[in-house]
Amino acid sequence: MAAIIISEINGWRANFSRRTLLVLMAVTAICGSLAFLRPEYCLVILTGVFIWIGLVAGKQSWSEAKIDGWAIEGKKAPGLVFSGKLTAVLLITLIHFVVLLPALILTNAIWGIPWWILGETLVSYALTTVLMAALGMLGTLSFGDISEFPRKLFSALFLAVTCIPGLWDSNPVWQVWNLVTSKSPGGMVQFIPNLIVIVLLALVAQFCFPREAVEGG
Amino acid sequence: MIKQYRKWIAALMFISGLLAFTGGKLQAAQIKMTTSLGFGDFVIPGHWVPLRVQIKGGVDSARVEVIRYNEDENNPSREIFAVSNPAAGASQLEIPVLASFKVKRVVTRLYHGKQLLTEQSLNLSGKIFPGHLILAINLPAAEQQAIQKSLLPDEPVLAVPIQPEELPGSGLNYDGVSGVVINNPGLVLAPAQIKTLRSWLTGGGRLVIVAASQQPPNWVRRLAGGNWNLQPKGYQEVFPVGFGSLIIIHPKSDAAGILQFSGEWRKILNLKPYLQSLRISAGQCFPGPVTVKPGQKFSLINPLSLFFLLWVGAAVFLNLYQKKKPPLNRFLILTLFSVAAAVPLAGILAKLWKHGAAWHTQAVILPDGGGALVCANIGLYPSNESGVYGSPWGVTVTGPSDEEGGINFETDRESGRRMAFWRRQHTPSQYSLSAGGSNNLVLTGCFPEFRVNQTRSPSNTPDTPDPWLPQLLIPNETVSWDGRQWRLLINYSLNGPLWREISGPPQWFQDGVELMKRCQALFADTLWLGGRNRLPRHLCLKIQGSPIPEYFWVMPAPF
């Protein structure tokens, strides 16, 4: 699994780190300058950046080897490869948080936003990124090498959670908005459903991989 | 094999995505809330009255919101505070509410988390009594009627029978009370009730104790202070306490019936037509919000934009310099430098900007150490004002007794209007919300005690009965006014104050002049003093991270 994680991080570092980090910094800088770092605008807009990173990760755009490659050629269990790739996505997201740190310090000092809100927002970003990556990878895995799948899935999900009022709580943008404008800590319990879904997707990944391909390969 | 199930997998993924961010909902619990406003359900317009909220069991923590709606539904204001552990039994809250002339109804909502458990609305129309309100404990009906007729035929007086535990524990709730009659000499009161009773007396209240025995309880002696006589003299004893009086009546058998005469009560309670009544109260001293002008405006655009320009510019430069090598190390090094720059920059910006709030505080110091009435007008900058923005978390305010609260604006779910709210962490709080506007909010506090700060050397303090006086009376920052002549304090020493006549109030006291005029109008024979910025810390609110704001105080001269 360590080899998968290292490979993923190396792939991101070589192929995509410049792009994702610069996009994150540029969006932060533009929002920060125009909206004076108002958290309820800047942090919500940054959700879009992390969703994008999750989608790119879901398409395995920066991966040196895709899941089926690891499973067939590397003889790894699909669930293990899937989990390794998601762990790598989580670590990559944490690297983005480090780069974001100066802006967070300024936001905290200028707007008086408590650190626990910023912490919960970062947890939300991390889970959103990993979840989008998981959905994208699983979709690609299930439907074959359909590069458009993550984008279509995200579009359908986003449309549903935006248009149906009862599902607004499921909207990552709405969730970050609620976190940022909340006045009391929600606690880590609120993230448990996301974690459960990610674990479930990892389990599904173990079984939905085309075994005949492995056997045949 | 996978092709057979891929539709199911797609459906599972879709549903998982929908459920992903949804947390569990809290279930409504069995909970009862009852509310009552005023004394005997009557409120005195323009004065503070108690809103009593009783919560019975059901949840381990809850939040109460009190929202006041004006007649035109404009500028509703909201006060929020936590109720701890109502599940352990009934929680009884006494919340001061300003029943200003504009207020139409008061809505009380009980929340558990974000879930609204119950809501009650109290309509003020039909409960207004614009006259004297006398609280009576254990007073016979005949004597209550005598009190009610004491100003007839000009105007009625309202005598409301209450239980001892209904005597207010918050000084603001005495605001509309003209007199208190207690016909229970052995009555035991809580320390908070005694303190607030004394504070109210010093402002001009009248407390009548009908004492059958010769020995009233200790708290009555404490209220009388140094004026207490061991041997009662006659049927009625009057002990002046500040501007008010404590009256002890010893009804002898031959004079027992005298208390059933209206004229007697008029004299005992010193009742005059309501509009001529003289008493220092928060409702009279602070009748409405004061316009708070934003202080130094500060634009965040330039320093922030410059910082971000350098931040992104450096990142782009470092990456363009050597395109082929992975740039991660440089990003991290740049982050280290950025953090090092952001920390001091954040400190500078935060101090300059103060989270977008300005304020103006006035205080009336009551005589005889009766405490103080304090009114803080806080103005939050509107978000559309050029260059200055209010924080979405509003202003964090710290106050006396380690209390902390937040001030901000939210859209009211009922009227859809932007309204100010005061969220306090502790119940009870020394400060209560008296008014809110689209951009401002007024907090009023009644403090039954007045203590000095222990920061100054006692050697500088002249030997006076009021040790805090030298701290308050600062030369060139204290004025006096007797209704005709303004004077500026030149020196204050053991020999007393030295004044210099001035043609009018000095420029630095302009924001305190109205308050001084209102107090002087109440007690015209009194010399009034005024000053700024010298209130003890235990009275002061403080905006977190900002300098201490300007305070204007007035007080009757103790010499």
Side-chain angles (χ1 to χ4, degrees), chain B residues 250-267:
Chain B
H250 303 280
K252 296 171 186 172
S253 58
D254 56 338
I258 198 168
L259 293 179
Q260 293 177 13
F261 287 103
S262 304
E264 188 65 16
W265 280 110
R266 186 169 62 240
K267 280 189 281 181

Side-chain angles (χ1 to χ4, degrees), chain B residues 203-264:
Chain B
R206 285 182 86 85
L207 170 64
V208 180
I209 309 279
V210 182
S213 70
Q214 296 291 322
Q215 294 297 327
N218 282 337
W219 64 266
V220 177
R221 297 184 192 189
R222 278 169 52 199
L223 286 184
N227 301 319
W228 180 256
N229 295 319
L230 284 176
Q231 295 298 323
K233 296 171 184 173
Y235 148 76
Q236 180 179 316
E237 291 177 285
V238 179
F239 301 100
V241 184
F243 287 126
S245 301
L246 164 67
I247 299 126
I248 298 181
I249 294 175
H250 303 280
K252 296 171 186 172
S253 58
D254 56 338
I258 198 168
L259 293 179
Q260 293 177 13
F261 287 103
S262 304
E264 188 65 16

Side-chain angles (χ1 to χ4, degrees), chain A residues 18-42:
Chain A
R18 185 179 285 136
R19 196 182 304 176
T20 58
L21 289 173
L22 276 179
V23 166
L24 180 73
M25 290 175 77
V27 171
T28 308
I30 291 167
C31 292
S33 299
L34 295 180
F36 315 109
L37 270 179
R38 278 184 81 104
E40 76 273 38
Y41 301 147
C42 293

Side-chain angles (χ1 to χ4, degrees), chain A residues 29-30 32-34 36 106, chain B residues 299-314 338 341 345 349:
Chain A
I30 291 167
S33 299
L34 295 180
F36 315 109
L106 281 167
Chain B
S299 171
L300 292 172
I301 299 174
N302 297 336
L304 270 183
S305 301
L306 186 65
F307 174 81
F308 284 126
L309 191 68
L310 290 173
W311 190 50
V312 177
S338 308
L345 178 67
L349 293 182

